[in-house]
Amino acid sequence: MQWMYGSGESGASSIQAYHAFRDHVLAAARSRPVESVVLAEGATLAAPRFIPCGDRTLAVVLDVDETAIQNLGYEYDEALRGRSYDEGIWARWEQTGGNAVLPMPGAVTALRAVRAAGVTVIFNSNRVSAYAAQTAAAIEGAGLGPARHRETLWLKGDVGAGSAKDPRRAAISERHCVIAMAGDQLGDFSDLFNVRELSLPDRRRAATSGRFAQMWGNGWFLLSNPVYGPGIRGGFDDVFPADRRWTDPGAGH
Amino acid sequence: MQWMYGSGESGASSIQAYHAFRDHVLAAARSRPVESVVLAEGATLAAPRFIPCGDRTLAVVLDVDETAIQNLGYEYDEALRGRSYDEGIWARWEQTGGNAVLPMPGAVTALRAVRAAGVTVIFNSNRVSAYAAQTAAAIEGAGLGPARHRETLWLKGDVGAGSAKDPRRAAISERHCVIAMAGDQLGDFSDLFNVRELSLPDRRRAATSGRFAQMWGNGWFLLSNPVYGPGIRGGFDDVFPADRRWTDPGAGH
């Protein structure tokens, strides 16, 4: 949290991502790409394929939490009380916390430029459908709106019941050609990265090699979030490659 | 460390930064900028000025640790033993750890493209001058070389005694026009961000507003490192803005 919410480094990282996002979107809006950056049905990690754009209107899709907005109030409460994530508290946060957020650095000016280029800005979040009005107000209060439920704001419960985002991306893609996506979790780009059988090293390998490696900064834009999410897990064997270990030769002397 | 070394998210973030770095360098190499991205002597946070390039040869300047290479062996040892940073252990790491590193994701291909465009790659690190040979071997072993001491590898002790990097940037700038810098700490771009009197909120504000905000992804490239460094500090009042706090209305019920 010190790095994420307090450091100039994380602020710089966010601005850098949004600069790349804006530049990519403005260039893609001029050239009208043939393919969306949303994976097509039937795509796999080994054989990625993207949805053809046809003549659908251009859009970008962003996650909300720690992508568009900083949940400062919630994280403050969590840190102060020394607690971990709690579903009930998060639900109350969605309902009442809208004034205790800030936009991610760089997001406001980037989204303004994207909209000025005629590209629709759509949010795809796992906040729940029941609090759509409060989430829209939080987004708009941070200067990132407009956000209209089921048009430019898609939430958990809108398409199916679960937290998978692919069904919502498919629904968005029926009307739009998505030329960029932004998120802080790999699931903001494809649910394929959240398959339970995927080991942590294989997940990292999938995201950083082959076709997917080319996507970063080039249609897919990652906001660094070391505070929470599926990236914050794993034991020693998952995190540190077995062939890159070292023992201090001075230890115990 | 789980996020930094184990997650697909951090790998994606690193690749994204190196894609932007490469694209910027290739474009700048074609257009030959009038100004370097290194601040001129006498520049301040309030009044930044950059060194004029003249006809000097083009170069990029990168930090080493958690910018060009991942110090996996050292961090593994630190995590396993539950210890914090230790100067003596780090000195032994510089001497003996060169085989227990990996390149940062995206760095190898980016530096290859930069060199192919005729741009000199220079490292500016606070590893110490005495172990220059071992550090050069670590960089080259990771596929990021060549690194020649006092030509393309500048270390603590090479220009003055301290960890300030501005004197080394000035020495590099005598021969080179620096068209891009990469680092994981604000001090990799200017020592002005390390002035002791600068509060943490002011430091973040300086890096994310005005002229400096424009630099991220546009000459200055930030690699996200939430594991160590000057960005990992501050109490509640430094990290969480006073006007963005929230107390769970359900707490204590």
Side-chain angles (χ1 to χ4, degrees), chain A residues 123-157:
Chain A
F123 298 96
N124 182 5
S125 168
N126 277 331
R127 290 185 176 218
V128 298
S129 190
Y131 308 135
Q134 291 91 328
T135 293
I139 292 169
E140 293 175 355
L144 298 162
R148 290 188 212 297
H149 192 202
R150 291 199 181 86
E151 294 178 21
T152 53
L153 174 62
W154 293 78
L155 299 166
K156 182 151 72 177

Side-chain angles (χ1 to χ4, degrees), chain B residues 23 38 100 102 122 128 135 166 193 196 204 215 219 222 244:
Chain B
D23 290 350
V38 174
L102 281 177
I122 300 175
V128 298
T135 294
D166 281 348
F193 295 111
R196 203 174 289 270
R204 181 168 167 109
M215 294 304 292
L222 196 289
R244 291 293 183 278

